[in-house]
Amino acid sequence: MKAAIMGYGVVGSGVGKILRENADIIAAKLEEPIEIKYVLDLRDFPGDALEDKLTKNFEDILNDDEVKLVCEAMGGTKPAYDFTKRLLEAGKHVVSSNKELVATYGFELLNAAKKANVNYLFEASVGGGVPILRPLWQCLAGNHIKKVYGILNGTTNFILTKMYNEDMPFEQALALAQELGYAEKDPSADIAGADVCRKTCILASISYGKHIDPAQVQTQGIEDIQIRDVAYAKANGYEIKLLGYCEKLESGKIDAIVSPFFVPKENQIATVSDVFNGIVVVGDMVDEVFFYGRGAGSLPTASACVGDMIDCAMHADKRKNFGWGARDKDFVENHSACQSRYYVRGTGDINAVKKALGEVAFLSLQGAPLDEVVFLTEAAQESELDARLAAIENFQIEAKIRVLT
Ligand code: HSE
């Protein structure tokens, strides 16, 4: 089958490499190879194995009837949305690693694929090389998904691991993640949580059947994590992880949030370090399932793209019934109305805290100043907890972080 790659950066070049190096097993599965006819990129790649396939003109791919399959690894929504829509409308299968595009326009693009009876698949958009979307959609299809949460960003997990294990300063760890090709072009999308938010939206859309927009998900990154809180986590049996979290509520709505969490060491998520991603799915029948692997980087992410390309080639004449329904602006509950436990660090009088909050679980740290008061709350609505904390006399809050339960 003739194919094209759009975007020849970290992921696109990885796709080219896998199709070359593993051509034998791919051809054996499909009884024909996947052959790259075009690579779309504005840059030149002198000496590259696919140099002679390079084009700067999208229309070359769109108008070539021989090309039935396209891997979009451009990133961003412009011009990726327009290109993808036109390719699908022209009857070409498209696979993508572009989480921003899927989280923003997934519903529209899945509809365009449905109308044209072609596939739009994007396994690489969440978890890099970790298979998670296909298992959620196919293998766990007989379950109501109660919860799905996890570490979805390699860069921030890498940074937090370096801070936690090696006391490495934040900036140095970020520079290392950029050097290794994990970070987004603009790493603020990693650090401030936007990348996790997009992936969380895709997980929630697949799990709960309606398109969840990034604007519906309250998002907080790792910028405010202090080394002092890392020390308290270490001393008291917790890791600090940036999680994307979704849960089906009894009301029928969902709770979806991106935030740093104190994660108890016993939870499998606590064992996920460096660039690795880990995702827990809780289904009403299967109970808990855990997915783990490399969440970023060229070949792991390209591995997921190539898996989708093979799937498209295997189902070239038949669209897989894959996707979700339209947006519903009331489907995501306001997070401050949802219950959560919190880690709180502040300065003040411990007796005033006890009087206001009752028997919370106080945490200790060797050598801590006498007026440092640190504790884990019971589960409470954030708005209600904030009001009670604000009412404590002479108590200054320095940090407040969710606790995974
Ligand atoms: N910047 C992303 C990460 C790349 O660090 O996880 C993979 O989506």
Side-chain angles (χ1 to χ4, degrees), residues 97 99 124-125 127-128 152-156 181-184 190 195 199 275 277 295-297 301:
S97 59
K99 51 259 163 147
S125 66
L152 303 172
N153 182 272
T155 302
T156 44
Y182 303 150
E184 298 299 301
D190 297 296
D195 181 71
K199 292 165 176 168
V275 72
N277 282 193
T301 312

Side-chain angles (χ1 to χ4, degrees), residues 134-405:
R134 198 172 270 94
L136 263 175
W137 179 254
Q138 290 183 350
C139 316
L140 300 173
N143 288 260
H144 288 107
I145 304 300
K146 290 160 76 171
K147 284 183 194 177
V148 47
Y149 65 88
I151 294 171
L152 303 172
N153 182 272
T155 302
T156 44
N157 203 43
F158 183 85
I159 293 171
L160 288 174
T161 304
K162 292 283 174 203
M163 286 171 76
Y164 193 98
N165 291 348
E166 299 173 30
D167 295 324
M168 188 182 277
F170 178 94
E171 286 74 19
Q172 194 183 334
L174 171 60
L176 200 51
Q178 287 176 298
E179 205 178 298
L180 292 167
Y182 303 150
E184 298 299 301
K185 268 185 220 153
D186 172 5
S188 65
D190 297 296
I191 306 308
D195 181 71
V196 178
C197 177
R198 291 165 187 150
K199 292 165 176 168
T200 304
C201 289
I202 298 170
L203 287 177
S205 300
I206 289 203
S207 300
Y208 301 115
K210 297 185 187 194
H211 185 98
I212 310 296
D213 268 315
Q216 290 175 280
V217 178
Q218 187 181 315
T219 297
Q220 187 187 334
I222 63 167
E223 311 94 318
D224 297 333
I225 301 295
Q226 313 259 327
I227 215 71
R228 189 103 194 113
D229 302 312
V230 173
Y232 268 100
K234 270 192 200 179
N236 290 279
Y238 289 86
E239 290 273 345
I240 300 183
K241 298 292 186 189
L242 179 64
L243 300 184
Y245 182 96
C246 329
E247 180 179 353
K248 185 89 185 219
L249 302 170
E250 279 179 15
S251 63
K253 293 187 182 193
I254 65 162
D255 176 18
I257 179 132
V258 173
S259 161
F261 276 79
F262 262 51
V263 178
K265 289 259 192 204
E266 311 80 71
N267 190 303
Q268 311 211 54
I269 288 292
T271 65
V272 178
S273 341
D274 294 319
V275 72
F276 286 89
N277 282 193
I279 302 157
V280 172
V281 180
V282 185
D284 60 349
M285 297 297 149
V286 71
D287 199 11
E288 192 169 297
V289 196
F290 180 57
F291 299 86
Y292 171 83
R294 286 190 183 274
S298 178
L299 293 178
T301 312
S303 155
C305 293
V306 172
D308 278 351
M309 291 173 90
I310 294 171
D311 200 356
C312 287
M314 277 178 173
H315 301 92
D317 301 321
K318 189 176 183 310
R319 181 180 174 270
K320 303 182 79 182
N321 184 20
F322 171 78
W324 54 73
R327 295 164 178 79
D328 169 354
K329 68 175 174 43
D330 299 321
F331 190 47
V332 181
E333 185 59 273
N334 182 342
H335 186 75
S336 64
C338 301
Q339 299 272 327
S340 190
R341 289 188 77 196
Y342 290 85
Y343 155 93
V344 179
R345 176 170 58 83
T347 39
D349 174 13
I350 193 167
N351 291 318
V353 173
K354 280 184 184 165
K355 197 169 153 211
L357 299 181
E359 275 313 308
V360 288
F362 289 98
L363 302 186
S364 57
L365 183 69
Q366 226 177 2
L370 282 176
D371 65 345
E372 188 165 76
V373 185
V374 183
F375 52 92
L376 304 179
T377 70
E378 290 299 308
Q381 283 188 351
E382 188 171 16
S383 48
E384 181 197 315
L385 177 73
D386 284 345
R388 292 175 72 190
L389 289 172
I392 305 174
E393 271 178 35
N394 298 324
F395 182 66
Q396 178 70 37
I397 299 174
E398 311 289 348
K400 190 179 101 203
I401 300 174
R402 288 178 179 77
V403 179
L404 185 67
T405 48

